[in-house]
Amino acid sequence: MRIVVNADDFGASKSTNEAIDYAFRNGIINRTTIMVTSPYCEDAMQRAFDGNYAGSVGLHLHLDGGGKSSITQEIRKYDLSSPYFWKKTKNRIFITDRGLRKAIKAEIEAQMQRYIELGCTLMHIDSHHHRHLDLSILMLVIPLAKKYGFRAIECDVHYTKDSVL
């Protein structure tokens, strides 16, 4: 059995990059996921290539950071940084606003393209605050993941003392 220890938010800040680089080089973690919209994204990938772990970097979709943390212009029309937005839409089958759906899809695709441009090959997806697991978002992620050849999407499963296995 192989255990995967993943560190999210690679690229979020210089200190996050330093910590994740240290953890990789010292065998504490064996995977990370990068925020391709962050200002320290290139620094993160340089560390990954220098440390010979670039093949262990997945994509950390970032949809709720607001205008500063997006690639596409269209998504900036919507306030996805608001916790109220996500509470309101959580677990809905569809976001009913077609413009918003189109903007989210375009942003996801742009982040996937950026990930590939950076030279990443792990082809694994997770997301900031697990937004990709909201059904309305997951239904946009899956076809795009297939289109770009992603092989894995994190499914967050939580067990409690009352869970039956």
Side-chain angles (χ1 to χ4, degrees):
M1 177 163 79
R2 182 169 184 234
I3 296 175
V4 174
V5 181
N6 185 70
D8 291 348
D9 297 349
F10 201 33
S13 68
K14 186 176 180 185
S15 61
T16 300
N17 291 352
E18 290 169 351
I20 289 173
D21 187 54
Y22 175 87
F24 253 108
R25 292 175 185 265
N26 289 282
I28 298 166
I29 62 172
N30 54 13
R31 294 257 179 104
T32 187
T33 48
I34 190 164
M35 300 170 84
V36 300
T37 60
S38 68
Y40 294 93
C41 173
E42 286 80 11
D43 175 70
M45 285 311 300
Q46 187 61 56
R47 290 172 187 273
F49 283 114
D50 291 348
N52 201 29
Y53 58 87
S56 298
V57 177
L59 173 60
H60 193 60
L61 289 172
H62 192 207
L63 300 173
D64 57 355
K68 294 179 185 176
S69 298
S70 60
I71 295 173
T72 60
Q73 291 293 324
E74 191 66 26
I75 202 163
R76 294 176 186 175
K77 295 178 184 176
Y78 302 94
D79 184 15
L80 300 187
S81 63
S82 165
Y84 174 74
F85 171 83
W86 293 102
K87 183 177 181 182
K88 186 173 121 181
T89 60
K90 183 129 178 105
N91 295 322
R92 292 171 97 185
I93 294 175
F94 292 106
I95 294 174
T96 56
D97 183 316
R98 288 183 186 177
L100 175 56
R101 225 178 22 246
K102 183 178 176 184
I104 291 172
K105 181 180 178 184
E107 180 65 23
I108 292 167
E109 187 163 22
Q111 289 187 31
M112 288 178 176
Q113 290 170 346
R114 177 78 173 121
Y115 171 81
I116 292 166
E117 288 167 6
L118 288 167
C120 299
T121 59
L122 181 60
M123 306 311 281
H124 161 90
I125 297 171
D126 64 19
S127 66
H128 203 56
H129 299 130
H130 308 284
R131 299 300 185 213
H132 74 291
L133 297 177
D134 292 341
L135 291 177
S136 54
I137 306 300
L138 186 60
M139 293 177 72
L140 299 173
V141 170
I142 290 172
L144 289 170
K146 289 179 182 179
K147 175 180 177 179
Y148 288 97
F150 283 85
R151 297 182 300 270
I153 299 174
E154 175 192 86
C155 295
D156 202 14
V157 179
H158 295 280
Y159 292 103
T160 65
K161 65 179 181 161
D162 298 322
S163 297
V164 178
L165 299 178

